[in-house]
């Protein structure tokens, strides 16, 4: 009887696996790895072609004056500069007031073709808090130089400006978070030289905003209380003591009524506004000073740019009805359209 094979002892040395069989075939017959595909050819070189900058054409027509306002502009040098041509033409095709402008960050030239005159404007930054600017009218031989300095941040600015040729001390304007104050020397008949002070100050008072504006020896005080539904704005001018107020009431996100009354002249006016989104607005109102009622429809954002309007077009239609002569009512419209070529 054959002997039974015993399991290897755990203390016995490990036995190495047998080597793989030897391939005695010729090298040409032995297996070789597959050949790698050749690298793709380099892309063909594109010819150096000069791309034409996009051209923007904006046309606006006002039926009240029957005049077309035309503007043609294009940006070039990677949007570092802009060339703009503006002119007006009537329904007979006659061109008026052509002006050509070159506008960039530091230099701008405005040329009046009919007057053969140019207005030059330039500016340069001297560091991050100092800026110099100048303007010069070639035909009038007049201009202005100015310096703006950031004192303690962007909210605090000091501007010194002076006409050229100089007529006295420069005008100083200080801007700060609560308002702006300017000092300017002026000449009068009785007093050869005096100092004019103009200013605007704002401050929160009683859940509202109080504004004091002083200009040419006239002080105007204005208080504005506003919440989500209403606004109340009384104002008074001194020393004339002219008192007026405005009241605005919102009846929802789309409807608003405004009313103004002047106690000094007893004139009043009112406006009702209804909006549908941001591209449609209806307004109607009455002005007792000119005794005129009116209604208008805006297609496109009234205060926005034409490039954001649907089809890059804005239109306004207005009906004016004089109170004293209803038969002379007039329907007017204004259309503005932009094309990108």
């Amino acid at each position: 009887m054959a002997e039974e094979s015993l399991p290897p002892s755990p203390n016995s040395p490990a036995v190495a696996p047998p080597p793989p069989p030897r391939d005695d075939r010729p090298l040409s017959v032995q297996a070789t790895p597959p050949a790698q595909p050749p690298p793709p050819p380099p892309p063909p070189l594109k010819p150096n072609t000069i791309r034409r900058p996009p051209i923007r054409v904006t046309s606006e027509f006002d039926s009240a004056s029957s005049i077309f306002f035309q503007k043609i502009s294009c940006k070039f040098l990677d949007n570092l500069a802009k060339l703009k041509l503006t002119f007006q033409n009537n329904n007979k095709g006659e061109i008026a007031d052509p002006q050509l402008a070159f506008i960039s960050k530091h230099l701008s030239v405005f040329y009046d073709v009919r007057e053969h005159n140019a207005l030059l404007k330039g500016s340069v930054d001297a560091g991050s808090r100092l800026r110099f600017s100048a303007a010069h009218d070639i035909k009038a031989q007049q201009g202005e130089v100015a310096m703006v300095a950031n004192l303690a941040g962007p909210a605090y600015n000091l501007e010194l400006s002076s006409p050229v040729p100089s007529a006295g001390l420069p005008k100083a304007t200080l801007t700060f978070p609560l308002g702006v104050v300017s000092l300017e020397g002026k000449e009068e008949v009785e007093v050869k030289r005096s100092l004019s002070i103009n200013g605007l100050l704002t401050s929160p008072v009683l859940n509202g905003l109080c504004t004091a504006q002083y200009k040419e020896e006239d002080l105007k005080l204005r208080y504005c209380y506003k919440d989500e539904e209403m606004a109340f704005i009384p104002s008074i001018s001194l020393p004339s003591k002219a008192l007026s107020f405005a009241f605005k009431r919102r009846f929802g996100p789309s409807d608003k009524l405004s009313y103004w009354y002047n106690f000094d002249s007893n004139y009043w006016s009112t406006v009702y506004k209804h909006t549908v989104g941001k591209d449609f607005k209806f307004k109607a109102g009455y002005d007792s000073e000119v005794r005129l009622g009116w209604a208008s429809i805006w297609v496109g954002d009234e205060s926005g740019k034409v490039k954001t309007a649907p089809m890059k077009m804005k239109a306004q239609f207005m009906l004016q009805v004089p109170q004293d002569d209803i038969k002379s009512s007039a329907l007017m419209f204004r259309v503005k359209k932009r094309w990108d070529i």
Side-chain angles (χ1 to χ4, degrees):
M1 184 175 180
E3 295 182 358
E4 297 181 357
S5 58
L6 299 177
S9 172
N11 297 326
S12 61
V15 179
R22 180 179 178 181
D23 193 353
D24 296 332
R25 295 177 300 171
L27 296 177
S28 60
V29 182
Q30 295 182 13
T32 57
Q36 297 293 333
L45 298 178
K46 295 183 179 180
N48 294 329
T49 58
I50 300 177
R51 297 182 56 186
R52 178 184 61 83
I55 299 177
R56 299 173 180 174
V57 180
T58 304
S59 180
E60 183 177 359
F61 177 74
D62 188 358
S63 65
S65 58
S66 298
I67 292 179
F68 288 89
F69 302 90
Q70 312 286 1
K71 182 177 71 172
I72 304 174
S73 63
C74 69
K75 294 182 180 180
F76 55 96
L77 299 179
D78 293 334
N79 295 334
L80 295 179
K82 180 170 70 172
L83 191 65
K84 181 173 67 173
L85 172 65
T86 59
F87 59 93
Q88 302 177 10
N89 62 300
N90 53 20
N91 51 9
K92 298 180 180 179
E94 299 173 347
I95 297 178
D97 299 332
Q99 293 186 358
L100 184 64
F102 170 83
I103 303 173
S104 64
K105 182 179 179 180
H106 298 289
L107 176 64
S108 299
V109 181
F110 302 89
Y111 181 72
D112 192 326
V113 178
R114 175 162 296 180
E115 297 293 334
H116 300 286
N117 186 28
L119 176 64
L120 308 179
K121 293 184 178 182
S123 62
V124 62
D125 295 329
S128 60
R129 293 192 173 186
L130 192 61
R131 183 179 182 87
F132 295 93
S133 61
H136 181 69
D137 190 316
I138 294 181
K139 195 171 185 178
Q141 292 296 309
Q142 295 179 354
E144 185 185 52
V145 293
M147 180 197 71
V148 180
N150 295 334
L151 301 180
Y156 296 86
N157 294 330
L158 175 63
E159 178 180 359
L160 300 177
S161 60
S162 175
V164 178
S166 177
L169 296 176
K171 177 182 178 181
T173 303
L174 177 63
T175 304
F176 49 97
L178 296 180
V180 56
V181 177
S182 63
L183 304 176
E184 181 180 8
K186 64 178 182 179
E187 295 183 357
E188 298 179 352
V189 178
E190 299 178 357
V191 182
K192 292 184 177 180
R193 183 172 297 177
S194 62
L195 188 63
S196 173
I197 302 177
N198 299 323
L200 176 67
L201 299 177
T202 60
S203 177
V205 175
L206 298 177
N207 297 327
L209 186 65
C210 184
T211 303
Q213 182 178 7
Y214 183 79
K215 184 178 182 180
E216 297 179 356
E217 299 182 358
D218 182 62
L219 177 62
K220 184 176 181 180
L221 300 177
R222 178 177 180 267
Y223 176 75
C224 177
Y225 171 81
K226 183 178 181 181
D227 57 19
E228 297 180 355
E229 295 183 354
M230 62 166 289
F232 180 70
I233 310 173
S235 62
I236 185 173
S237 297
L238 300 174
S240 63
K241 298 181 181 179
L243 178 63
S244 64
F245 80 93
F247 177 77
K248 300 180 181 182
R249 179 71 165 87
R250 184 175 293 276
F251 300 96
S254 302
D255 299 277
K256 183 178 180 180
L257 178 66
S258 302
Y259 178 81
W260 294 267
Y261 184 78
N262 193 318
F263 291 91
D264 186 46
S265 60
N266 291 328
Y267 289 140
W268 61 274
S269 63
T270 182
V271 174
Y272 168 75
K273 180 174 66 174
H274 175 76
T275 59
V276 179
K278 66 176 184 178
D279 296 323
F280 182 83
K281 181 184 297 185
F282 170 78
K283 298 171 69 174
Y286 176 81
D287 192 337
S288 66
E289 183 176 2
V290 295
R291 301 176 64 84
L292 179 69
W294 57 272
S296 67
I297 296 176
W298 273 98
V299 180
D301 190 1
E302 179 181 0
S303 58
K305 296 184 178 180
V306 67
K307 68 178 182 180
T308 60
M311 298 185 297
K312 297 181 179 180
M313 183 179 69
K314 295 171 57 176
Q316 180 193 16
F317 302 89
M318 174 177 283
L319 175 63
Q320 292 184 351
V321 182
Q323 182 178 351
D324 300 328
D325 188 6
I326 300 179
K327 294 182 180 181
S328 62
S329 301
L331 177 63
M332 301 174 291
F333 65 92
R334 180 188 293 262
V335 181
K336 189 174 183 180
K337 170 67 176 175
R338 168 179 155 174
W339 294 270
D340 293 336
I341 304 175

